[in-house]
């Protein structure tokens, strides 16, 4: 299938049968899994996919399995016409936008993909069951789309690490491509949840990227110095108006997401999560010691 001209309307498939018909003779297929509310960060993933494949599929599905009982599933932004227009602008061929009843016809599935110990750390500790929900829906999407490659944003560092682990452990024939974090002009990492932030909350949220920058600047002093520098920025933000409520700040091994020791040498990821107002945000940066 040749790439469409810019702004051509993608095929919108709502069921597996419609998806299969849309992907007949598709050639090399790239998948960009999303929950919709597409922003410039998502569009950067589509561009990577467009360069790498004959056919680009973007899934738009707010997956109930990865939301906890007190999270924002009901209010998560949904606008399929706007998402489809964004996909058209990036030359996407197929938008797969199933309903929950299509993906989970019997309700919550009995068989899921366990994220293991790695999935219980950091995000998994704060959001029990989250990564089981993520891996289950990604596994289903891989089965339905049969992509040659799939593109994920590196802002969700633990997510992409677990997906790579799933692909390796289950021998799934999919290449996983990571896309660099895209930031808005003020430094805030692009996120669909940014729309929840008031002007004051957005200003406070900039402390997340500032803390990561402080850690990178202090990296020559080792992991302890990097942690201290990042923590100082966030402690100041915690006393601001509105306050930034830190969930976690962790320097971790990229392969296991376990905390690194103070004498660690080599690559690491500094990952954090915080709540500003009612909005929970995540961010991370790579650091070499």
């Amino acid at each position: 299938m040749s790439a469409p001209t810019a702004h051509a309307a993608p095929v919108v498939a709502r069921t597996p049968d419609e998806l299969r018909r849309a992907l007949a003779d598709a050639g090399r297929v790239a998948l960009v899994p999303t929950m919709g509310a597409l922003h410039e960060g998502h569009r950067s993933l589509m561009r990577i996919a467009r360069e790498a494949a004959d056919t680009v599929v973007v899934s738009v599905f707010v997956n109930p399995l990865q939301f906890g009982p007190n999270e924002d599933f009901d209010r998560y932004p949904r606008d399929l016409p706007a998402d489809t227009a964004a996909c058209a602008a990036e030359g996407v061929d197929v938008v797969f936008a199933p309903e929950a009843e299509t993906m989970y016809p019997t309700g919550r599935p009995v068989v899921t993909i366990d994220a293991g110990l790695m999935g219980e750390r950091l995000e998994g500790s704060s959001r029990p069951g989250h990564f089981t929900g993520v891996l289950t829906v990604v596994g289903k999407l891989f089965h339905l789309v049969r992509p040659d490659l799939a593109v994920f944003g590196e802002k969700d560092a633990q997510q992409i690490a677990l997906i790579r682990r799933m692909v390796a452990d289950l021998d799934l024939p999919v290449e996983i491509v990571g896309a660099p974090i895209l930031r808005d002009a003020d430094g805030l990492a692009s996120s669909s949840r940014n729309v929840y932030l008031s002007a004051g909350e957005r200003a406070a949220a900039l402390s997340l990227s500032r803390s990561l920058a402080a850690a990178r600047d202090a990296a020559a002093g080792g992991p302890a110095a990097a942690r201290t520098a990042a923590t100082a920025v966030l402690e100041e933000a915690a006393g601001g108006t509105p306050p930034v409520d830190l969930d976690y700040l962790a320097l971790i091994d990229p392969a296991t997401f376990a905390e690194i020791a103070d004498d660690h040498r080599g690559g690491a990821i500094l990952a954090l999560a915080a709540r500003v107002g009612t909005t929970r945000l995540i961010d991370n940066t790579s650091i070499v010691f």
Side-chain angles (χ1 to χ4, degrees), residues 100-158:
E101 294 77 12
T102 299
M103 292 294 280
Y104 308 119
T106 61
R108 186 175 183 86
V110 174
V111 177
T112 57
I113 299 177
D114 183 7
L117 179 61
M118 186 174 167
E120 295 174 0
R121 295 170 172 149
L122 302 184
E123 283 295 290
S125 176
S126 297
R127 307 176 68 188
H130 170 70
F131 285 120
T132 293
V134 169
L135 295 186
T136 298
V137 76
V138 170
K140 286 178 69 73
L141 288 170
F142 285 176
H143 177 70
L144 290 167
V145 177
R146 305 293 175 95
D148 297 278
L149 70 147
V151 186
F152 294 87
E154 292 176 349
K155 180 172 74 71
D156 296 300
Q158 191 173 8

Side-chain angles (χ1 to χ4, degrees), residues 118 121-122 161 250-261 264 267-270:
M118 186 174 167
R121 295 170 172 149
L122 302 184
L251 259 176
I252 46 91
D253 182 320
T256 65
F257 272 67
E259 282 271 4
I260 62 170
H264 175 84
I269 293 175
L270 180 62

Side-chain angles (χ1 to χ4, degrees), residues 262-279:
D262 286 347
D263 61 354
H264 175 84
R265 292 296 177 264
I269 293 175
L270 180 62
L272 60 82
R275 192 172 296 278
V276 185
T278 61
T279 304

Side-chain angles (χ1 to χ4, degrees), residues 201-223:
E201 288 168 347
R202 185 181 179 98
L206 298 181
S207 62
L208 276 63
S209 56
R210 287 201 305 270
S211 72
L212 300 178
R216 291 193 302 270
D217 290 344

